[in-house]
Amino acid sequence: MHEERALSFACEGQQLVGIVSLPFPPATRGVLIVVGGPQYRAGSHRQFTQLARRLAAGGVAAMRFDYRGMGDSEGDLRSFETVNSDLRAALDAFFAAVPSLREVALCGLCDGASAAVLYAADDTRVRGLVLLNPWARTEQGAARATLQHYYSARLASGDFWRKLLSGRFKAGAALSSVLGLLRHARSTPAQEAGDSLPDRLYGRLSAFRGGVLVVLSGADLTAQEFAGLAQSSALWRTLLADSRVTRYELPGADHTFSQRAWQDEAIARICEWMRA
């Protein structure tokens, strides 16, 4: 059994809105759900609503909320790199609403996962991270992921060969696209060492000492770009192989787990990991 309660709380002079899902008996462990943008607290296909209710039914408190500038919250729209104050305010409100809480995990999809990584190490209340298809975008990484996963899948597709044999395939445009991707994949990053998003995520995730669950969709280039970090960097490979990191892949799933089976599987893995 569980109940849901609406919250309104302040962040730097503006009001934010959230929903807390409360289990019976009161929980000592909770999950703060961090949305990717632009998105509000229900999540794509209402997956965050479903996740919060499943967690509460299993004895884990959950809170989902709108950043400033999204949904029912006041303020201007923000990027995932500028929501630390929103996350701290939401955690303060979560702990006030559930006095029995002792620790929480942050759970985010896409750049919501990246926002969680950038914040977590600075708040001792955060003891876990659930990262769904984390956003670690660079021009070079996106090009490599597209070449490795999209174009290899196209070559194995019957539709591709039917178009080629029928003369409907625009070879010139495709070749131009591939050559452009190859240039980007081999180019030197514009940022100084340590300034790219993957570098910053690595630094913050290395500083975080709690448990980490990484869930990656098999048919999502954002997920494959994140997975590619371990292939291209010994530092990332060592970090993601650490015993505190659990990794799970959903073959065939898309970026937002749009089919019910994918959504149910992702939620089941999160709930299982939180119980453990």
Side-chain angles (χ1 to χ4, degrees), residues 119-157:
Y119 176 84
D122 292 332
D123 194 324
T124 58
R125 297 172 293 184
V126 180
R127 301 293 300 277
L129 286 168
V130 178
L131 310 178
L132 309 173
N133 298 329
W135 179 261
R137 178 57 48 87
T138 64
E139 195 172 66
Q140 295 75 26
R144 293 188 194 108
T146 303
L147 287 167
Q148 183 176 351
H149 298 282
Y150 174 75
Y151 278 101
S152 61
R154 286 287 287 157
L155 289 172
S157 165

XYZ file of all heavy atoms in Angstrom, residues 119-157:
308
model
N 25.756 16.269 -9.595
C 25.362 16.742 -8.251
C 25.790 15.807 -7.125
O 26.175 16.254 -6.043
C 23.833 16.900 -8.209
C 23.307 17.286 -6.845
C 23.283 18.622 -6.443
C 22.860 16.319 -5.944
C 22.819 18.976 -5.189
C 22.392 16.664 -4.682
C 22.373 17.988 -4.315
O 21.925 18.341 -3.063
N 25.698 14.506 -7.330
C 25.642 13.525 -6.246
C 26.774 13.600 -5.234
O 26.548 13.474 -4.024
C 25.576 12.118 -6.842
N 28.002 13.780 -5.680
C 29.149 13.702 -4.771
C 29.160 14.825 -3.740
O 29.863 14.722 -2.721
C 30.454 13.723 -5.564
N 28.375 15.879 -3.953
C 28.372 17.024 -3.040
C 27.308 16.923 -1.956
O 27.181 17.852 -1.146
C 28.161 18.328 -3.827
C 29.349 18.667 -4.711
O 30.477 18.259 -4.362
O 29.148 19.315 -5.747
N 26.543 15.838 -1.916
C 25.464 15.709 -0.938
C 25.544 14.332 -0.295
O 25.300 13.317 -0.952
C 24.115 15.907 -1.630
C 22.964 16.139 -0.647
O 22.983 15.519 0.431
O 22.060 16.939 -0.977
N 25.885 14.287 0.989
C 26.099 13.006 1.669
C 24.819 12.199 1.838
O 24.885 11.010 2.164
C 26.740 13.230 3.052
O 25.893 14.088 3.829
C 28.108 13.860 2.916
N 23.669 12.824 1.622
C 22.410 12.079 1.707
C 22.231 11.148 0.519
O 21.461 10.189 0.581
C 21.228 13.061 1.778
C 21.238 13.955 3.005
C 20.153 15.025 2.917
N 20.419 15.990 1.829
C 19.667 17.065 1.595
N 18.600 17.301 2.363
N 19.965 17.891 0.613
N 22.940 11.432 -0.567
C 22.811 10.634 -1.787
C 23.769 9.450 -1.709
O 24.978 9.622 -1.694
C 23.113 11.482 -3.035
C 22.975 10.619 -4.297
C 22.182 12.684 -3.107
N 23.190 8.245 -1.680
C 24.005 7.045 -1.538
C 23.964 6.139 -2.759
O 24.640 5.119 -2.799
C 23.528 6.252 -0.307
C 23.610 7.035 0.997
C 25.046 7.333 1.390
N 25.795 6.112 1.582
C 25.797 5.383 2.699
N 25.059 5.777 3.740
N 26.513 4.286 2.790
N 23.161 6.523 -3.759
C 23.077 5.711 -4.961
C 22.705 6.540 -6.175
O 22.126 7.628 -6.048
N 23.047 6.029 -7.358
C 22.712 6.662 -8.627
C 22.127 5.611 -9.563
O 22.695 4.525 -9.716
C 23.945 7.275 -9.291
C 24.501 8.565 -8.693
C 25.878 8.876 -9.289
C 23.540 9.727 -8.937
N 21.007 5.931 -10.195
C 20.420 5.095 -11.235
C 20.468 5.900 -12.526
O 19.798 6.932 -12.650
C 18.971 4.698 -10.902
C 18.375 3.871 -12.041
C 18.914 3.917 -9.594
N 21.264 5.447 -13.484
C 21.535 6.202 -14.704
C 20.943 5.468 -15.900
O 21.416 4.399 -16.289
C 23.044 6.380 -14.881
C 23.811 6.903 -13.656
C 25.303 6.995 -13.961
C 23.259 8.251 -13.205
N 19.892 6.054 -16.479
C 19.218 5.467 -17.631
C 19.675 6.192 -18.887
O 19.421 7.387 -19.045
C 17.698 5.598 -17.477
C 17.092 5.108 -16.151
C 15.612 5.470 -16.086
C 17.272 3.609 -15.999
N 20.370 5.504 -19.766
C 20.864 6.077 -21.021
C 21.485 7.460 -20.804
O 21.008 8.464 -21.338
C 19.727 6.158 -22.053
C 19.174 4.798 -22.400
O 19.885 3.804 -22.375
N 17.884 4.738 -22.713
N 22.558 7.535 -20.020
C 23.137 8.845 -19.660
C 23.628 9.623 -20.876
O 24.171 9.054 -21.823
C 24.314 8.473 -18.743
C 24.066 7.075 -18.323
C 23.311 6.424 -19.430
N 23.466 10.926 -20.813
C 23.888 11.838 -21.869
C 25.353 12.188 -21.654
O 25.714 12.817 -20.658
C 23.025 13.084 -21.836
C 23.337 14.137 -22.847
C 24.075 15.264 -22.646
C 22.894 14.194 -24.214
N 24.128 16.015 -23.797
C 23.412 15.376 -24.775
C 22.115 13.357 -25.010
C 23.177 15.745 -26.102
C 21.875 13.721 -26.325
C 22.404 14.904 -26.846
N 26.215 11.794 -22.591
C 27.646 12.109 -22.521
C 28.101 12.583 -23.889
O 29.149 12.202 -24.390
C 28.444 10.893 -22.070
N 27.310 13.442 -24.500
C 27.458 13.792 -25.904
C 28.697 14.635 -26.202
O 28.973 15.630 -25.557
C 26.208 14.543 -26.376
C 26.200 15.031 -27.843
C 26.407 13.912 -28.840
N 25.591 12.738 -28.632
C 24.359 12.581 -29.112
N 23.791 13.542 -29.810
N 23.710 11.463 -28.895
N 29.452 14.183 -27.200
C 30.472 14.992 -27.871
C 30.289 14.771 -29.365
O 29.705 13.767 -29.791
C 31.910 14.588 -27.486
O 32.152 13.246 -27.933
C 32.134 14.687 -25.977
N 30.787 15.665 -30.167
C 30.680 15.508 -31.613
C 31.379 14.240 -32.059
O 30.883 13.494 -32.912
C 31.302 16.733 -32.288
C 30.947 16.887 -33.749
C 31.435 18.214 -34.310
O 32.675 18.394 -34.387
O 30.597 19.057 -34.656
N 32.552 13.962 -31.468
C 33.322 12.790 -31.857
C 32.619 11.504 -31.414
O 32.511 10.540 -32.172
C 34.726 12.842 -31.239
C 35.587 13.982 -31.735
C 35.180 15.318 -31.127
O 34.616 15.373 -30.022
N 35.457 16.408 -31.841
N 32.115 11.503 -30.170
C 31.448 10.313 -29.658
C 30.175 9.986 -30.401
O 29.873 8.813 -30.679
N 29.401 11.018 -30.747
C 28.161 10.798 -31.494
C 28.460 10.228 -32.879
O 27.755 9.332 -33.366
C 27.389 12.100 -31.609
N 29.512 10.739 -33.520
C 29.876 10.240 -34.845
C 30.299 8.774 -34.776
O 29.891 7.955 -35.612
C 30.997 11.095 -35.431
N 31.103 8.423 -33.777
C 31.548 7.031 -33.649
C 30.366 6.094 -33.393
O 30.284 5.005 -33.962
C 32.566 6.917 -32.508
C 33.891 7.625 -32.776
C 34.895 7.301 -31.687
N 36.029 8.200 -31.744
C 36.269 9.172 -30.864
N 35.440 9.359 -29.844
N 37.315 9.950 -30.981
N 29.457 6.508 -32.502
C 28.300 5.665 -32.187
C 27.416 5.473 -33.408
O 26.904 4.371 -33.662
C 27.495 6.286 -31.047
N 27.229 6.534 -34.195
C 26.392 6.435 -35.393
C 27.021 5.508 -36.425
O 26.348 4.659 -37.016
C 26.173 7.832 -36.004
O 25.582 8.682 -35.021
C 25.252 7.755 -37.213
N 28.328 5.652 -36.627
C 29.011 4.785 -37.593
C 28.966 3.329 -37.153
O 28.706 2.426 -37.959
C 30.463 5.236 -37.762
C 30.694 6.524 -38.543
C 32.121 7.010 -38.352
C 30.392 6.310 -40.037
N 29.232 3.101 -35.875
C 29.348 1.731 -35.387
C 28.012 1.029 -35.283
O 27.903 -0.169 -35.589
C 30.046 1.720 -34.023
C 30.271 0.315 -33.471
C 31.037 0.346 -32.166
O 31.546 1.386 -31.733
N 31.132 -0.802 -31.510
N 26.975 1.749 -34.868
C 25.710 1.079 -34.565
C 24.620 1.334 -35.605
O 23.950 0.395 -36.031
C 25.226 1.501 -33.177
C 26.160 1.112 -32.092
N 26.229 -0.178 -31.602
C 27.106 1.831 -31.430
C 27.167 -0.234 -30.666
N 27.710 0.961 -30.542
N 24.467 2.583 -36.042
C 23.400 2.864 -37.008
C 23.734 2.302 -38.385
O 22.947 1.571 -38.988
C 23.145 4.367 -37.106
C 22.161 4.726 -38.202
C 20.799 4.501 -38.031
C 22.594 5.255 -39.420
C 19.893 4.810 -39.024
C 21.694 5.563 -40.423
C 20.350 5.339 -40.227
O 19.457 5.641 -41.228
N 24.943 2.623 -38.886
C 25.261 2.203 -40.248
C 25.517 0.703 -40.353
O 25.206 0.087 -41.376
C 26.442 3.014 -40.788
C 25.981 4.359 -41.313
C 26.147 5.513 -40.559
C 25.330 4.471 -42.535
C 25.692 6.745 -41.013
C 24.870 5.697 -43.010
C 25.058 6.825 -42.242
O 24.597 8.028 -42.697
N 26.049 0.097 -39.306
C 26.219 -1.357 -39.353
C 24.855 -2.049 -39.370
O 24.661 -3.065 -40.059
C 27.039 -1.836 -38.154
O 26.388 -1.518 -36.931
N 23.876 -1.488 -38.630
C 22.529 -2.057 -38.641
C 21.872 -1.863 -40.003
O 21.139 -2.739 -40.493
C 21.674 -1.419 -37.551
N 22.132 -0.712 -40.634
C 21.565 -0.457 -41.958
C 22.073 -1.472 -42.988
O 21.328 -1.954 -43.829
C 21.929 0.958 -42.411
C 21.164 2.055 -41.713
C 19.720 2.109 -42.196
N 19.621 2.652 -43.543
C 18.606 2.416 -44.358
N 17.630 1.626 -43.992
N 18.576 2.970 -45.566
N 23.364 -1.804 -42.918
C 23.932 -2.758 -43.862
C 23.339 -4.153 -43.694
O 23.324 -4.950 -44.638
C 25.455 -2.818 -43.710
C 26.216 -1.578 -44.207
C 27.684 -1.679 -43.831
C 26.054 -1.412 -45.721
N 22.853 -4.446 -42.495
C 22.251 -5.750 -42.241
C 20.746 -5.756 -42.503
O 20.085 -6.781 -42.338
C 22.513 -6.170 -40.797
N 20.213 -4.614 -42.932
C 18.773 -4.479 -43.120
C 18.362 -4.873 -44.543
O 18.942 -4.412 -45.533
C 18.355 -3.028 -42.850
O 17.062 -2.757 -43.337
